[in-house]
Amino acid sequence: MPNLKKFVNKHTISLATSAAMPVIGMLVLSLMAHNLPTADFGNYIFLLITILLADTFRNGFVQTSLIKFYAGASKKRAMEVAGSAWFVGLLQALIFVAIDGLIYLFYHSKSADAETTIQWFGIIYMTTLPSAIASYILQAEEKFGRMLILQIVNQGLFLIFILILIFIHKLSFQTAVYAYFAGSAVTSILTIFNGWSKIRTIRHRTNATAGQLAHFGKFSVGTSISSYLLRSSDTFIIKAMFNPALLAVYYIPQRLMEVFEIPMRAGVATAMPELSAAVHKDNPEEVVSIMKRYAGMLTVVLIPIAVIAFLLGEIVIELLFGQQYRNTEAVNIFRLFMCYVMLMPIDRFFGITLDIINKPHLNMLKVLLMLIVNVTGDFVGIFIFHSLYAVAIASLFTFFAGAVFGYWALKKHLKFTIRDIFSIGYRELKNMINHVLDKSKTDKVEV
């Protein structure tokens, strides 16, 4: 592996960055759940989901295309891409704000909280644009230390504001919205003044580059929305077909799967700029090498973790969620989920590699296929077995279908085998562990 020390340091920081947001976010949600009335907390969750859904559009439309065309490009080209990304991001944000403004003008809810959500959504969405663009650029430049600082500042400020509101007994839905806005505004102002957002590059935008980003982005948006629906489809189907109480039983193992998403997001964050740089150098062999390295290492890491989690599923569920869930379907559903963990890195990296080699339409088709397989499998399984297990088993076929389609699509453009992914992943992980151990021994000798 080239420059092993740099790779280890970069991946370690990226892992910390990927973990920071969900950890602090869960802490904030826990504090709010304990200190807000149920109705106020529900209103906040609705606002948060609305903002996250809108962010899905922005991330799909701007993030992947910016990283693809920015990483590894010349300085002049990079400035054009950054400025054009700002233009596309502003245009998309203004469309959302205009829609929100029309709803605010013509829709009059009897609920003051609903009015607050409509009033503040557009303001918050526009406010978060600079910090979002900054995070995309920092990822493209592989400056993961700065990304970590950005995440900690953003989430940390919100946490501090919530703690202050709790301390002075002023926490409510409205004050939580003000705190969210304040944290986002301060973070975005910081990225503008320290130059991380590169807002001044907007004068270097070109219509051709903006059009290129938008063309690529429309497929990425399709992929992002399909992924969102794929993650949510089980929830909607269970709510419609079963007793609502069973939704919590299924939600628990689903939530535990987020633990596996942390190293996955870290791997994707570090791999995308490398893949893009290799594409800019017109080096398909390096593209294949990077894809196999990351997909293989993550697969080799996750397999033993999945086996241990499978064996200790009952204990994990009881420790985290209470004894009342120990003898429910949650334990076996969690174990079923562990059966397809090894497919997740391969499926994810097939998808992002298709994006980076300028085949985003194939990645979108891959995710759409997975959505169709999942929904069809859910309904067929429920019709035949009338059980939550059918929904979990359908997920096995879903990820298998995605991996098979991704392999078929990539094989048309790149030369590789599935066996390579496992063997290279094992070898590179072994090298990385040896490097860390050698460094630890060296540090002890120096002390």
Side-chain angles (χ1 to χ4, degrees):
M1 185 188 300
N3 206 337
L4 187 58
K5 181 179 179 181
K6 182 181 177 182
F7 176 84
V8 173
N9 292 338
K10 181 172 66 174
H11 199 72
T12 301
I13 297 171
S14 178
L15 186 62
T17 305
S18 299
M21 192 168 179
V23 169
I24 300 176
M26 284 297 292
L27 178 57
V28 171
L29 281 178
S30 178
L31 287 169
M32 294 177 73
H34 284 89
N35 291 277
L36 277 177
T38 305
D40 276 9
F41 184 64
N43 286 323
Y44 172 75
I45 293 297
F46 178 74
L47 173 64
L48 189 63
I49 290 172
T50 305
I51 292 171
L52 290 176
L53 181 58
D55 276 340
T56 300
F57 276 88
R58 178 154 61 201
N59 293 342
F61 211 64
V62 183
Q63 182 181 27
T64 307
S65 55
L66 187 152
I67 294 169
K68 173 184 165 41
F69 294 107
Y70 186 102
S74 66
K75 185 176 180 180
K76 181 183 176 183
R77 172 63 174 167
M79 290 176 71
E80 283 182 8
V81 172
S84 299
W86 259 106
F87 176 76
V88 172
L90 274 171
L91 191 62
Q92 186 259 336
L94 287 171
I95 291 171
F96 274 62
V97 170
I99 294 171
D100 182 61
L102 290 172
I103 294 172
Y104 182 72
L105 287 174
F106 295 104
Y107 173 76
H108 299 288
S109 174
K110 295 179 181 179
S111 168
D113 292 327
E115 290 282 333
T116 300
T117 299
I118 297 168
Q119 180 183 1
W120 280 93
F121 165 76
I123 297 170
I124 290 173
Y125 192 66
M126 184 61 78
T127 303
T128 57
L129 179 62
S131 60
I133 297 288
S135 69
Y136 306 157
I137 292 173
L138 290 173
Q139 183 180 345
E141 294 177 344
E142 300 187 69
K143 294 178 179 176
F144 298 106
R146 291 182 178 181
M147 281 184 67
L148 178 59
I149 292 170
L150 188 61
Q151 293 283 11
I152 291 174
V153 169
N154 189 19
Q155 293 291 314
L157 281 174
F158 185 42
L159 173 60
I160 290 168
F161 292 148
I162 292 298
L163 286 171
I164 291 171
L165 289 169
I166 292 171
F167 182 74
I168 63 176
H169 305 290
K170 294 291 184 181
L171 183 63
S172 66
F173 170 61
Q174 293 221 352
T175 57
V177 173
Y178 300 154
Y180 193 101
F181 165 73
S184 301
V186 172
T187 306
S188 286
I189 290 169
L190 176 67
T191 63
I192 291 171
F193 279 99
N194 64 17
W196 293 358
S197 69
K198 298 190 185 297
I199 193 170
R200 293 181 179 179
T201 59
I202 196 167
R203 65 177 182 268
H204 297 288
R205 75 167 183 87
T206 64
N207 291 334
T209 304
Q212 194 176 23
L213 293 177
H215 176 71
F216 186 96
K218 68 185 180 185
F219 294 111
S220 292
V221 166
T223 302
S224 297
I225 298 302
S226 299
S227 297
Y228 178 84
L229 292 174
L230 178 60
R231 290 192 302 269
S232 307
S233 57
D234 286 350
T235 301
F236 293 133
I237 291 170
I238 290 170
K239 187 173 177 59
M241 305 288 287
F242 291 102
N243 186 314
L246 291 178
L247 191 58
V249 172
Y250 194 85
Y251 179 77
I252 286 170
Q254 260 193 333
R255 195 63 192 259
L256 286 173
M257 290 299 290
E258 290 183 11
V259 174
F260 295 91
E261 282 293 330
I262 292 174
M264 204 85 67
R265 283 194 292 266
V268 169
T270 51
M272 282 181 69
E274 291 184 29
L275 286 167
S276 180
V279 169
H280 279 123
K281 289 186 289 186
D282 194 22
N283 190 340
E285 291 80 13
E286 187 177 353
V287 172
V288 170
S289 176
I290 294 167
M291 180 196 72
K292 290 190 294 188
R293 183 168 75 234
Y294 280 96
M297 286 176 61
L298 281 168
T299 302
V300 172
V301 166
L302 291 181
I303 287 176
I305 297 173
V307 171
I308 293 169
F310 182 94
L311 296 173
L312 302 179
E314 194 170 319
I315 297 171
V316 171
I317 297 288
E318 183 177 352
L319 281 175
L320 294 177
F321 297 96
Q323 192 172 1
Q324 67 269 31
Y325 291 104
R326 180 172 183 171
N327 297 316
T328 65
E329 293 98 326
V331 175
N332 287 328
I333 288 172
F334 178 63
R335 286 172 172 155
L336 283 169
F337 285 170
M338 293 303 99
C339 295
Y340 67 73
V341 160
M342 65 174 289
L343 290 173
M344 290 171 62
I346 294 171
D347 169 66
R348 188 73 56 86
F349 276 91
F350 282 174
I352 68 163
T353 305
L354 284 169
D355 277 344
I356 296 299
I357 66 171
N358 209 28
K359 306 295 178 185
H361 59 291
L362 292 177
N363 190 24
M364 183 179 73
L365 286 175
K366 180 179 79 71
V367 181
L368 281 173
L369 172 65
M370 293 173 71
L371 177 61
I372 292 169
V373 170
N374 194 65
V375 172
T376 305
D378 283 355
F379 280 115
V380 170
I382 290 170
F383 179 76
I384 295 173
F385 300 105
H386 308 285
S387 169
L388 277 182
Y389 294 135
V391 180
I393 292 170
S395 298
L396 295 172
F397 293 99
T398 298
F399 277 89
F400 183 75
V404 170
F405 181 88
Y407 178 75
W408 170 80
L410 272 179
K411 281 288 286 184
K412 295 171 68 176
H413 305 283
L414 300 171
K415 295 180 180 179
F416 69 98
T417 66
I418 292 290
R419 184 184 299 174
D420 289 343
I421 292 175
F422 292 101
S423 60
I424 290 174
Y426 174 76
R427 186 184 70 220
E428 299 293 8
L429 182 64
K430 184 179 177 182
N431 290 340
M432 191 170 76
I433 292 171
N434 288 335
H435 170 79
V436 172
L437 292 175
D438 290 342
K439 185 177 184 301
S440 177
K441 290 177 183 178
T442 304
D443 291 342
K444 286 180 180 179
V445 170
E446 290 176 354
V447 172

